[in-house]
Amino acid sequence: MKTEIVARRLDAIRAEMKKVDLDAFIVPRADEYLGEYVPERNERLQWASGFTGSAGLVVVLADSAAVFVDGRYTIQVRQQVPESLFEFHHLVEEPHAQWLANTLSAGSRVGYDPRMHALKWQLETKALLAKKQIELQEVTENPIDRSWDDRPAPGKAPAMLLDEVYTGQDSVSKRQQIGELIASKGADSALISQPDSIAWLLNIRGNDVTHVPILLGFSILGSDGKMAMFTDLDKLPEDIDEHVGEGVTFHAEETVATALEDLGKRGAIVIADPEATNAWCQLLVKDSGGTLIADSDPVLLPKAQKNATELAGMKDCHINDAAAEIRFLAWLDKEVTQGNLHDEALLSDTLGSFRLQQEGCMGLSFDTISAAGSNGAMCHYNHLNATPAKLELNNLYLVDSGGQYLNGTTDITRTVIIGEPSADHKRMFTLVLKGHIALDQARFPLGTTGSQLDVLARQFLWQEGFDYDHGTGHGVGCFLSVHEGPQRISKVPNTIALKPGMVVSNEPGYYKEDSYGIRCENLLVVKTCEELSDAETSMLEFEALTMVPFDLRLVEASMLTNSELRWLNDYHTRVQEKLSPLLGEDDQVWLQQATRSI
Amino acid sequence: MKTEIVARRLDAIRAEMKKVDLDAFIVPRADEYLGEYVPERNERLQWASGFTGSAGLVVVLADSAAVFVDGRYTIQVRQQVPESLFEFHHLVEEPHAQWLANTLSAGSRVGYDPRMHALKWQLETKALLAKKQIELQEVTENPIDRSWDDRPAPGKAPAMLLDEVYTGQDSVSKRQQIGELIASKGADSALISQPDSIAWLLNIRGNDVTHVPILLGFSILGSDGKMAMFTDLDKLPEDIDEHVGEGVTFHAEETVATALEDLGKRGAIVIADPEATNAWCQLLVKDSGGTLIADSDPVLLPKAQKNATELAGMKDCHINDAAAEIRFLAWLDKEVTQGNLHDEALLSDTLGSFRLQQEGCMGLSFDTISAAGSNGAMCHYNHLNATPAKLELNNLYLVDSGGQYLNGTTDITRTVIIGEPSADHKRMFTLVLKGHIALDQARFPLGTTGSQLDVLARQFLWQEGFDYDHGTGHGVGCFLSVHEGPQRISKVPNTIALKPGMVVSNEPGYYKEDSYGIRCENLLVVKTCEELSDAETSMLEFEALTMVPFDLRLVEASMLTNSELRWLNDYHTRVQEKLSPLLGEDDQVWLQQATRSI
């Protein structure tokens, strides 16, 4: 963005700050729904700075400004944000609140829009600034909204009703189930503000942000299963009432403030998630007399444990999705053989077009990571941030992508060799694959968390002095967000036990700076282990949903144990059996050799 | 204990309760130092109930009483505590505070001695009882102390000064180091009440409880490294002042209350561990105007990371200790061959006598677990609680024992076959051993916690449907407590990273109810991994301190990978090389075959 445009916008914010006597104003990337994606209309951070990354924060002071981004965006931010107007800081290593406390003098007033921050942030930041006699002051109207003349209008794409054929449970019974959970915690109701929780509860999907089929809005769910939903009423299909069944009322989103205040005035005891629901909602309840119970969104755990219908859908859509991925990998091999070293954008677009041709595919589940050679070493590479690179001969290509289907969500990463692999490529790929296999094969007692299993995927890399700087697995929704909690497979301690029906990714990797990146990612579903006749404990295990071959050209077979070889051959046999019938003749031939026994 | 004795004691407690208008009085197992062991004089729980277990709690009501114990003691408690006088409850599943809240009526007053409980317990119990309008009321004098006529006098065993030859760091520099830690947290001083922390700081050892060479007392350490120690002055050797160097004053233990109040009156900011320092100490500071910072004992982490001198001592004493253990195992084999199936007590005593003959051995580091056959299935079996069982032919014998040496502390478990092993014995032993080997061999990046590694020891058991219901590893002191924090290898999330110099046990096991128990335990030290030439991250690994063969008759070699076989043979070669020179001729022959290559 041109420097003068940004300068003008900062000045507009400063003018608004002056009117309400603020020395600073905080612009986070989030909007009021605190989700991973925000609609264009709510890209306030981008408007104020030019920065397009998925995480970041700007602080505007009277005479200066600062932008905070994490390690993924340190290069990008300097390309997008004018350095004549901003200081650059690290989001994690130089937290903005601490920076404000160090920078401002006692008596300063820092403005924030309580809609754009979680309550936890508000409490912690207020306390931290108070130590330096700095006041955290909420604004009633966002200075950016007052200044943003050509702000896009709210989207009007209608929501869709998702049939029980896909959801497996009607809204009435879901709301009853969560209502009982709410009652069991001694509460009258819960604020459900995460749009994917709302979508799950009402069996609806929307089109309000890219990649996640959600309808933006807020809701209050009572312990009796009754729900008040606040959203753009124009987006609701005519037969919504019949679809959701008894006990749901729909209201214009603007009326949520009054409803929250009414809840408080009635002295209600309300569950709200301090990290996932914005401060504004929660303070409205509290300040009008209600009692907040800080607890996680009660929908999270039931939503994470897919029912039989959802699991059947997830399996089906993964087969369809695999057909697109295999078609792409076969095409890629042929192109490379013919000397066509395409660029990352063309590759990404080709894969996307194959995926969108699949039955039931509603779109991509996230921006495809299409990374040739050294670009693969950047875990969150996006070829759209710069000129897309071309494939490099005798180097790796990493492609991480997924689709949204009516019956599920997919997420897969494959790493393939373009040309001939080096011994180093094969060694590192095989270490990553060994970790992938160890996690896939693991059996574990009920009560085990993802944190406990994480090391299984890292152990072979660790043994030789390597590691990867990201989690091993995240939860995945069913035709919902490709990143969902509460379970997680990661170094970070997590107390949520894995339960049957949960879907997690299994994605160890290895990244060699300036050289290449490797990641092997399947989605897995947690299920009861049936094979153990003399097990003394209830054991769980995983079943792979993803059905796409790993590149055998990158496998150093001598590094695999017999058990690992058996796993790989068995997996490839299953892939061959399930996928071959869905492919054209050429692709069948490709799959045959790609799944050959080694 | 005879019922009438216990009845009389309960009545005496009740008479004291009546004087101060209490409806209940809580008797925990702890004394004011909140340690694992208490001197006979402080065995109040045993005095009031007859129960001798290492964990438990009694609640005395006006007309009844209840004893709370955990799963280890459900049988023992019924043998020791008269059921005509007590209800029996589970310590964990029916927590005493909740039981009191359910049992007593509003307005009741529950007495407790604040010296015998951690501050955390006091805060949580007070809040829980308050919800039912029940008051938690501290007593100024313990009702038991007022009633216990023949209470043993305090021990008078003198403390000893531990030479820098063993400690590797003088007290002045230790106190300086911890003082800086205290300052870095913004505090003036810290309450150091864990006697092993005090012993480490002053380079002294004591004889006040069994198995842990500590001097009981309290101390206050300033951010300037100056320390006030409150203890029985008669126990201090004459040259103590010279030994500890500048900056330590010694005071009679009775004067600690005044000192804590003075601290408060000065408005001091004091670090105190809410779980490890009693409520009485902390409330004295707070109630007289001081500020408490709830944080863990600042000595824990430096004490856990042994210095080069301590590590050399730990290695040496493990060699000595191994000689005793090997001598015992060789003797045991010979006795069994000759048809002598001894009882657990004789076995334990024999091992103990061998150990005490070793150079520098100051005693045992805990009560030996000597468990024949099915007794081995009880993880915390103590043969002294009932008639010691005799060895069972063609079944296992499990022996978990350790010693205190001037230069270190040992803890080892070996499981051996008496006669011929079954296929089941071999299968289960080998699964446990595979886990032991996997943990021993692990390499991991700086920052990794024991919780992350725990699964490595369990994975093979899990794979076949088995598990063990205890942690995999605990920290071990250097001529101090055989159980020390803050690191731990366990399923329970723990945020303390393993660091070079830490000593941990590696003790996976398997317990088949009513049949047998298996545990394979070595102590390991964490060290920097030197072998990896191309490691990208700073990697750590373990080195085994324990040098005693595993019973090869129990190893099913076909279940081991080549790498595991290599580990086992390499370990046995090292044992043979290091230990053979220390043994008599017969024992050398035994060791030769016990460490043969397989």
Side-chain angles (χ1 to χ4, degrees):
Chain A
M1 207 150 46
K2 280 192 186 150
T3 303
E4 51 268 43
I5 298 181
V6 179
R8 212 154 49 226
R9 290 177 180 178
L10 288 177
D11 284 343
I13 295 172
R14 289 182 179 122
E16 295 295 330
M17 283 163 55
K18 211 163 183 184
K19 284 185 198 162
V20 285
D21 196 21
L22 294 176
D23 303 293
F25 184 72
I26 299 174
V27 184
R29 201 253 171 173
D31 64 8
E32 59 265 52
Y33 312 105
L34 305 185
E36 192 174 348
Y37 294 95
V38 301
E40 203 187 343
R41 166 182 170 73
N42 292 342
E43 294 275 17
R44 293 180 182 87
L45 180 67
Q46 185 182 343
W47 183 84
S49 67
F51 177 65
T52 62
S54 66
L57 183 139
V58 154
V59 176
V60 184
L61 304 182
D63 303 310
S64 64
V67 59
F68 296 76
V69 301
D70 63 31
R72 290 176 282 175
Y73 294 116
T74 42
I75 296 167
Q76 185 181 327
V77 74
R78 287 174 184 274
Q79 293 164 344
Q80 296 183 322
V81 177
E83 64 179 324
S84 57
L85 299 174
F86 284 85
E87 290 179 28
F88 300 110
H89 295 286
H90 195 285
L91 194 62
V92 182
E93 290 161 17
E94 304 172 273
H96 62 280
Q98 192 56 55
W99 181 84
L100 276 165
N102 297 343
T103 304
L104 295 178
S105 51
S108 299
R109 286 161 50 90
V110 174
Y112 80 106
D113 184 339
R115 294 167 189 80
M116 312 300 156
H117 300 269
L119 182 60
K120 185 163 181 260
W121 175 92
Q122 192 263 2
L123 295 170
E124 292 176 357
T125 307
K126 198 179 187 90
L128 195 146
L129 294 179
K131 282 188 190 169
K132 296 284 186 91
Q133 285 82 51
I134 298 168
E135 197 189 342
L136 185 69
Q137 178 61 48
E138 66 177 63
V139 299
T140 47
E141 210 176 339
N142 195 304
I144 294 178
D145 300 4
R146 293 178 59 94
S147 317
W148 190 347
D149 292 330
D150 54 348
R151 184 176 175 198
K156 281 291 175 191
M160 62 176 282
L161 310 177
L162 196 63
D163 200 275
E164 209 173 312
V165 139
Y166 300 114
T167 66
Q169 185 182 7
D170 66 27
S171 171
V172 173
S173 107
K174 284 182 177 180
R175 286 182 280 111
Q176 208 63 47
Q177 176 189 346
I178 307 296
E180 284 162 20
L181 270 178
I182 293 168
S184 75
K185 306 241 174 179
D188 306 316
S189 47
L191 301 188
I192 312 287
S193 69
Q194 288 182 279
D196 59 339
S197 292
I198 297 174
W200 181 88
L201 271 174
L202 295 177
N203 289 334
I204 59 175
R205 296 296 185 268
N207 289 286
D208 289 349
V209 298
T210 50
H211 301 322
V212 192
I214 47 174
L215 173 68
L216 295 174
F218 294 95
S219 77
I220 303 167
L221 179 64
S223 58
D224 56 2
K226 287 189 178 147
M227 182 165 164
M229 169 74 185
F230 302 84
T231 187
D232 180 348
L233 297 174
D234 292 345
K235 295 178 186 169
L236 299 174
E238 264 188 26
D239 43 355
I240 181 85
D241 289 323
E242 194 189 332
H243 177 73
V244 298
E246 264 197 21
V248 185
T249 53
F250 292 93
H251 312 267
E253 190 163 334
E254 306 83 75
T255 66
V256 69
T258 315
L260 292 169
E261 280 168 348
D262 286 349
L263 211 55
K265 285 181 195 156
R266 287 208 312 273
I269 300 171
V270 181
I271 290 174
D273 190 325
E275 297 187 51
T277 296
N278 71 44
W280 179 79
C281 283
Q282 303 204 41
L283 293 174
L284 278 173
V285 173
K286 193 175 164 214
D287 294 346
S288 55
T291 302
L292 295 175
I293 297 184
D295 201 1
S296 58
D297 177 345
V299 171
L300 288 189
L301 208 49
K303 171 162 67 64
Q305 287 183 259
K306 275 69 180 166
N307 62 34
T309 306
E310 290 170 318
L311 285 180
M314 286 293 270
K315 282 182 197 181
D316 274 1
C317 78
H318 274 80
I319 303 285
N320 275 340
D321 196 67
E325 179 93 10
I326 289 170
R327 194 177 154 203
F328 170 74
L329 293 174
W331 168 84
L332 173 62
D333 265 6
K334 205 180 64 194
E335 292 294 303
V336 172
T337 309
Q338 292 172 358
N340 297 323
L341 298 179
H342 293 299
D343 76 31
E344 297 160 338
L346 188 144
L347 296 168
S348 168
D349 293 346
T350 304
L351 173 56
S353 75
F354 289 175
R355 187 166 261 129
L356 289 167
Q357 288 167 35
Q358 292 302 314
E359 193 194 328
C361 186
M362 309 294 283
L364 305 187
S365 56
F366 58 98
D367 286 327
T368 298
I369 297 175
S370 169
S374 57
N375 289 336
M378 292 177 268
C379 296
H380 295 87
Y381 179 69
N382 187 335
H383 57 270
L384 301 176
N385 287 339
T387 310
K390 290 203 166 184
L391 289 175
E392 216 178 290
L393 205 60
N394 304 331
N395 202 345
L396 301 175
Y397 171 63
L398 183 156
V399 57
D400 186 353
S401 65
Q404 290 289 5
Y405 294 80
L406 278 170
N407 52 355
T409 300
T410 69
D411 182 3
I412 171 176
T413 310
R414 286 297 180 267
T415 307
V416 297
I417 184 65
I418 305 302
E420 290 301 319
S422 67
D424 177 58
H425 289 144
K426 292 177 77 170
R427 172 189 180 211
M428 298 314 302
F429 182 89
T430 308
L431 288 176
V432 171
L433 183 63
K434 283 168 80 80
H436 180 97
I437 295 173
L439 183 60
D440 182 283
Q441 288 203 92
R443 289 169 174 160
F444 47 92
L446 265 179
T448 302
T449 69
S451 307
Q452 290 177 256
L453 300 182
D454 177 76
V455 67
L456 294 176
R458 298 184 195 269
Q459 58 185 323
F460 305 101
L461 287 161
W462 282 6
Q463 213 62 21
E464 307 206 5
F466 308 106
D467 198 6
Y468 49 94
D469 192 16
H470 57 71
T472 299
H474 55 81
V476 178
C478 186
F479 189 28
L480 272 177
S481 179
V482 78
H483 295 139
E484 73 170 20
Q487 79 277 17
R488 190 177 168 195
I489 301 178
S490 131
K491 287 184 180 183
V492 182
N494 170 310
T495 57
I496 304 297
L498 295 171
K499 295 199 168 150
M502 284 181 171
V503 174
V504 287
S505 67
N506 172 8
E507 48 178 315
Y510 172 70
Y511 308 91
K512 187 164 186 162
E513 212 181 329
D514 299 327
S515 298
Y516 59 79
I518 295 168
R519 192 158 60 246
C520 293
E521 178 188 25
N522 278 357
L523 297 194
L524 310 176
V525 57
V526 180
K527 62 172 201 169
T528 304
C529 181
E530 287 144 12
E531 260 183 46
L532 296 170
S533 52
D534 60 350
E536 291 174 344
T537 321
S538 290
M539 302 298 289
L540 302 177
E541 63 185 0
F542 295 114
E543 179 182 345
L545 294 170
T546 309
M547 285 290 143
V548 174
F550 294 95
D551 190 346
L552 289 175
R553 296 167 296 186
L554 286 168
V555 176
E556 178 52 56
S558 67
M559 286 169 59
L560 297 181
T561 65
N562 287 338
S563 151
E564 288 162 346
L565 271 173
R566 200 159 48 236
W567 182 93
L568 187 60
N569 288 329
D570 285 355
Y571 176 71
H572 279 165
T573 304
R574 266 183 297 150
V575 169
Q576 153 72 19
E577 284 169 6
K578 284 186 197 287
L579 268 299
S580 193
L582 304 190
L583 301 174
E585 213 167 304
D586 285 358
D587 293 339
Q588 283 184 344
V589 172
W590 182 90
L591 185 63
Q592 190 72 45
Q593 61 78 29
T595 58
R596 69 192 178 277
S597 191
I598 63 166
Chain B
M1 206 148 48
K2 280 191 182 151
T3 303
E4 51 268 43
I5 297 180
V6 178
R8 215 154 48 224
R9 291 176 178 179
L10 288 177
D11 284 344
I13 296 173
R14 286 178 183 127
E16 294 295 330
M17 284 163 54
K18 212 163 181 182
K19 285 184 200 165
V20 287
D21 196 22
L22 294 177
D23 302 293
F25 185 72
I26 298 174
V27 185
R29 202 257 172 171
D31 63 9
E32 58 267 52
Y33 311 104
L34 305 184
E36 192 173 348
Y37 294 96
V38 301
E40 205 189 339
R41 169 183 168 75
N42 291 343
E43 291 279 14
R44 295 180 180 86
L45 181 68
Q46 185 183 342
W47 183 86
S49 67
F51 177 65
T52 63
S54 67
L57 182 140
V58 154
V59 176
V60 184
L61 304 182
D63 303 311
S64 63
V67 58
F68 296 76
V69 301
D70 63 31
R72 291 176 283 174
Y73 293 117
T74 43
I75 295 167
Q76 183 182 328
V77 73
R78 288 174 184 275
Q79 293 163 344
Q80 296 183 321
V81 177
E83 66 177 322
S84 58
L85 300 175
F86 284 86
E87 293 179 26
F88 300 111
H89 294 287
H90 195 287
L91 194 63
V92 183
E93 290 162 17
E94 304 170 275
H96 64 279
Q98 191 56 56
W99 181 83
L100 276 165
N102 296 342
T103 303
L104 296 177
S105 51
S108 301
R109 284 160 52 91
V110 174
Y112 81 106
D113 183 340
R115 292 167 191 81
M116 313 299 155
H117 299 269
L119 182 61
K120 185 164 182 255
W121 175 92
Q122 192 263 3
L123 294 171
E124 290 176 356
T125 306
K126 198 178 187 90
L128 195 147
L129 294 178
K131 281 188 189 169
K132 294 287 186 83
Q133 285 83 50
I134 298 168
E135 196 188 340
L136 184 70
Q137 178 61 49
E138 65 179 60
V139 297
T140 46
E141 209 176 338
N142 195 303
I144 293 178
D145 300 3
R146 293 179 59 92
S147 318
W148 190 348
D149 292 329
D150 55 348
R151 184 175 174 199
K156 280 291 173 189
M160 61 177 282
L161 310 177
L162 198 61
D163 199 275
E164 210 175 311
V165 139
Y166 300 114
T167 66
Q169 186 181 7
D170 66 26
S171 171
V172 174
S173 108
K174 285 183 176 179
R175 285 181 278 111
Q176 210 60 49
Q177 178 189 346
I178 308 296
E180 283 163 20
L181 272 177
I182 293 168
S184 75
K185 307 242 174 177
D188 305 316
S189 47
L191 302 188
I192 311 287
S193 68
Q194 289 182 281
D196 59 339
S197 292
I198 297 174
W200 181 88
L201 271 175
L202 295 178
N203 289 335
I204 57 173
R205 297 297 185 267
N207 287 286
D208 288 349
V209 300
T210 50
H211 302 323
V212 191
I214 46 174
L215 173 69
L216 296 175
F218 294 95
S219 75
I220 303 168
L221 179 64
S223 58
D224 55 3
K226 289 193 178 143
M227 180 164 166
M229 168 74 185
F230 302 84
T231 187
D232 180 348
L233 298 175
D234 292 345
K235 295 179 186 168
L236 299 174
E238 265 187 24
D239 44 353
I240 180 88
D241 289 322
E242 193 188 333
H243 177 73
V244 298
E246 264 196 21
V248 185
T249 52
F250 293 94
H251 312 267
E253 190 164 337
E254 307 83 75
T255 64
V256 69
T258 315
L260 293 169
E261 280 168 350
D262 286 349
L263 212 55
K265 283 178 196 160
R266 288 208 311 273
I269 300 171
V270 181
I271 290 175
D273 190 326
E275 298 186 51
T277 297
N278 72 44
W280 178 79
C281 284
Q282 303 204 40
L283 294 174
L284 277 174
V285 173
K286 193 176 164 211
D287 295 347
S288 54
T291 302
L292 295 175
I293 297 185
D295 201 359
S296 57
D297 177 344
V299 171
L300 288 188
L301 208 49
K303 171 162 66 64
Q305 287 184 261
K306 275 71 181 165
N307 62 35
T309 306
E310 290 170 319
L311 285 179
M314 287 293 272
K315 282 184 193 176
D316 274 359
C317 79
H318 274 81
I319 304 285
N320 275 339
D321 197 68
E325 179 95 9
I326 289 171
R327 192 176 156 204
F328 170 74
L329 293 174
W331 168 84
L332 174 62
D333 266 7
K334 202 179 68 191
E335 293 294 302
V336 171
T337 310
Q338 293 174 357
N340 297 325
L341 298 178
H342 294 300
D343 76 31
E344 296 160 339
L346 188 142
L347 296 169
S348 166
D349 293 347
T350 303
L351 174 57
S353 75
F354 289 176
R355 185 167 264 131
L356 289 167
Q357 288 166 34
Q358 292 302 313
E359 193 196 327
C361 186
M362 309 295 283
L364 304 185
S365 58
F366 58 97
D367 286 327
T368 298
I369 297 176
S370 168
S374 58
N375 289 337
M378 292 178 268
C379 297
H380 294 87
Y381 178 68
N382 185 337
H383 57 272
L384 300 176
N385 288 337
T387 310
K390 291 201 166 190
L391 289 174
E392 218 179 288
L393 203 61
N394 303 333
N395 202 346
L396 301 174
Y397 171 63
L398 182 156
V399 56
D400 187 352
S401 66
Q404 291 290 4
Y405 294 79
L406 278 170
N407 52 353
T409 300
T410 70
D411 181 2
I412 171 174
T413 309
R414 285 297 179 270
T415 307
V416 296
I417 185 65
I418 304 302
E420 288 300 320
S422 68
D424 178 55
H425 289 144
K426 293 177 75 169
R427 173 187 179 212
M428 299 314 302
F429 183 90
T430 308
L431 289 175
V432 172
L433 183 63
K434 283 167 79 80
H436 180 96
I437 296 172
L439 184 57
D440 183 283
Q441 288 203 95
R443 288 169 175 160
F444 47 92
L446 264 179
T448 302
T449 68
S451 307
Q452 288 178 257
L453 300 182
D454 177 77
V455 67
L456 295 176
R458 297 183 195 271
Q459 58 184 324
F460 305 101
L461 287 161
W462 283 6
Q463 214 60 21
E464 306 206 6
F466 307 106
D467 198 6
Y468 50 93
D469 192 16
H470 58 72
T472 299
H474 55 81
V476 178
C478 186
F479 189 27
L480 272 178
S481 179
V482 77
H483 296 137
E484 73 168 24
Q487 78 277 17
R488 192 176 166 195
I489 302 177
S490 132
K491 287 182 179 181
V492 181
N494 172 309
T495 55
I496 304 295
L498 295 171
K499 296 200 167 148
M502 284 182 171
V503 174
V504 288
S505 67
N506 171 9
E507 50 179 313
Y510 171 70
Y511 308 92
K512 188 163 187 161
E513 212 182 331
D514 298 328
S515 297
Y516 60 79
I518 295 167
R519 190 158 61 248
C520 293
E521 179 188 25
N522 279 357
L523 297 194
L524 311 176
V525 56
V526 180
K527 60 172 202 170
T528 304
C529 183
E530 288 143 13
E531 260 184 50
L532 296 169
S533 54
D534 61 349
E536 291 176 344
T537 321
S538 289
M539 302 298 289
L540 302 177
E541 64 184 358
F542 295 115
E543 178 184 345
L545 293 171
T546 310
M547 284 290 141
V548 174
F550 294 96
D551 190 347
L552 289 175
R553 295 166 298 187
L554 285 168
V555 175
E556 178 53 56
S558 67
M559 286 168 62
L560 297 181
T561 64
N562 288 337
S563 149
E564 288 162 344
L565 272 174
R566 199 161 44 237
W567 182 92
L568 188 59
N569 289 329
D570 285 353
Y571 177 70
H572 279 165
T573 302
R574 263 183 299 152
V575 169
Q576 155 72 21
E577 284 167 6
K578 283 185 197 285
L579 269 299
S580 193
L582 303 189
L583 302 175
E585 213 169 301
D586 284 1
D587 292 340
Q588 284 186 345
V589 172
W590 180 89
L591 184 63
Q592 190 70 46
Q593 60 79 29
T595 57
R596 68 190 180 277
S597 190
I598 63 167

